[in-house]
């Protein structure tokens, strides 16, 4: 498709006197939904479609809130992981997805809550998961790792999940954005069209896009150069 020729990070600034957030929407020119992005409240979103669910997903529906607008509203209005959880569980949900939400304000040891959750998402369910209740459970290709929440390219996806699992176990206590870029997602080979890495404690975001039709170099986003964004500075721009 044409998307790789028009990558764009759009910064929306909060309206003075409103209860909204400034946020960055990682997408393409003309794209108004959200699948990747970060807010001035140190929250971030991620998403991947589910082609291989299991029976725990229940039903899908084509009647409801399009998930790209639900995710955009979360960036625009929600202030914390608990408020994100409330919006998602009360939404008129549609298709099978895995969502990811992070909140850089949460200190796990002090707050007793994980700063990142994944969500098994469908019309029927919205199951928020941390490192202690992560699913699906499989001791060979999707083990639970302390303080880590992860999914491969799908729900039932042993080929990708086992590589991601092994890399995260290898680097669990030493993960940095640079290490994730150089020795996790590039090895797992996840993030074809665009790849985004967030550091919510430092308020930085790293973005790579697939090769455009007029560009040279590697094809997939995960193999290309990442651009680092200082989100604090960008949100403060008038």
């Amino acid at each position: 498709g044409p998307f790789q020729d028009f990558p764009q990070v759009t910064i929306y600034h909060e309206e003075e006197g409103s209860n909204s957030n400034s946020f960055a929407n990682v997408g393409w020119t003309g794209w108004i939904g959200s699948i990747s992005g970060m807010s001035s409240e140190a929250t971030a979103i991620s998403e991947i479609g589910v082609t291989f669910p299991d029976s725990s997903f229940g039903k899908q529906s084509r009647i409801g809130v399009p998930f790209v607008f639900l995710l955009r509203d979360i960036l625009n209005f929600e202030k914390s992981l608990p408020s994100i959880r409330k919006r998602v569980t009360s939404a008129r949900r549609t298709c099978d997805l895995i969502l990811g939400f992070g909140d850089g304000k949460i200190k796990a040891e002090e707050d007793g809550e994980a700063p990142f959750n994944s969500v098994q998402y469908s019309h029927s369910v919205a199951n928020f998961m941390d490192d202690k209740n992560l699913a699906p459970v499989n001791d060979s290709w999707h083990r639970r790792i302390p303080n880590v929440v992860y999914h491969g390219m799908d729900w039932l996806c042993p080929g990708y999940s086992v590589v991601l699992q092994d890399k995260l176990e290898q680097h669990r206590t030493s993960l940095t954005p640079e290490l994730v870029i150089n020795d996790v997602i590039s090895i797992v080979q996840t993030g074809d069209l665009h790849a985004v890495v967030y550091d919510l404690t430092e308020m930085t975001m790293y973005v790579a896009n697939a090769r455009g039709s007029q560009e040279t170099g590697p094809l997939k986003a995960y193999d290309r150069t990442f651009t680092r964004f200082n989100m604090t500075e960008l949100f403060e721009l008038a």
Side-chain angles (χ1 to χ4, degrees):
F3 296 105
Q4 65 270 26
D5 285 332
F6 304 98
Q8 182 170 306
V9 176
T10 306
I11 307 296
Y12 296 86
H13 294 280
E14 63 181 292
E15 185 177 350
E16 187 174 350
S18 73
N19 197 37
S20 62
N21 310 321
S22 298
F23 69 97
N25 192 20
V26 183
W28 306 273
T29 303
W31 171 253
I32 60 172
S34 295
I35 56 173
S36 302
M38 182 174 172
S39 84
S40 55
E41 291 291 327
T43 63
I45 63 166
S46 58
E47 170 276 335
I48 193 164
V50 171
T51 304
F52 301 104
D54 58 26
S55 60
S56 64
F57 273 81
K59 296 180 179 180
Q60 299 191 76
S61 174
R62 297 305 172 191
I63 300 173
V65 178
F67 74 88
V68 295
F69 297 128
L70 175 64
L71 292 176
R72 179 191 167 110
D73 283 347
I74 285 170
L75 288 174
N76 197 4
F77 298 110
E78 300 306 333
K79 308 293 184 183
S80 66
L81 190 52
S83 69
I84 291 171
R85 189 178 298 118
K86 183 177 180 180
R87 181 180 284 264
V88 172
T89 55
S90 63
R92 297 179 66 197
R93 298 178 302 275
T94 53
C95 56
D96 292 348
L97 302 166
I98 302 170
L99 305 181
F101 300 110
D103 184 345
K105 302 182 297 300
I106 295 175
K107 310 300 180 187
E109 293 183 359
E110 300 173 11
D111 300 329
E113 180 179 3
F116 183 87
N117 282 183
S118 66
V119 186
Q120 180 190 25
Y121 179 100
S122 72
H123 176 68
S124 298
V125 300
N127 294 324
F128 279 71
M129 298 173 285
D130 58 20
D131 59 319
K132 296 178 177 60
N133 67 340
L134 185 67
V137 178
N138 186 291
D139 288 338
S140 63
W141 54 266
H142 199 236
R143 288 189 291 273
R144 291 175 179 171
I145 304 172
N147 303 314
V148 176
V149 180
Y150 71 102
H151 296 274
M153 295 286 283
D154 209 311
W155 185 255
L156 298 178
C157 190
Y160 282 93
S161 294
V162 70
V163 180
L164 180 57
Q165 165 194 275
D166 293 347
K167 278 296 175 183
L168 291 173
E169 287 184 327
Q170 176 186 350
H171 297 304
R172 183 174 69 85
T173 60
S174 58
L175 284 172
T176 64
E178 293 79 10
L179 187 55
V180 169
I181 290 167
N182 290 321
D183 200 44
V184 179
I185 60 176
S186 59
I187 304 301
V188 179
Q189 298 184 329
T190 179
D192 291 4
L193 187 56
H194 78 209
V196 186
V197 177
Y198 310 104
D199 186 337
L200 297 178
T201 56
E202 297 295 327
M203 289 296 288
T204 53
M205 182 174 72
Y206 302 73
V207 180
N209 292 280
R211 185 183 69 206
S213 60
Q214 304 301 313
E215 296 178 318
T216 60
L219 175 62
K220 306 294 187 181
Y222 57 74
D223 276 334
R224 295 183 64 81
T225 300
F226 281 70
T227 299
R228 179 183 183 274
F229 296 89
N230 183 321
M231 302 311 300
T232 300
E233 291 183 356
L234 289 173
F235 291 143
E236 289 177 350
L237 289 175

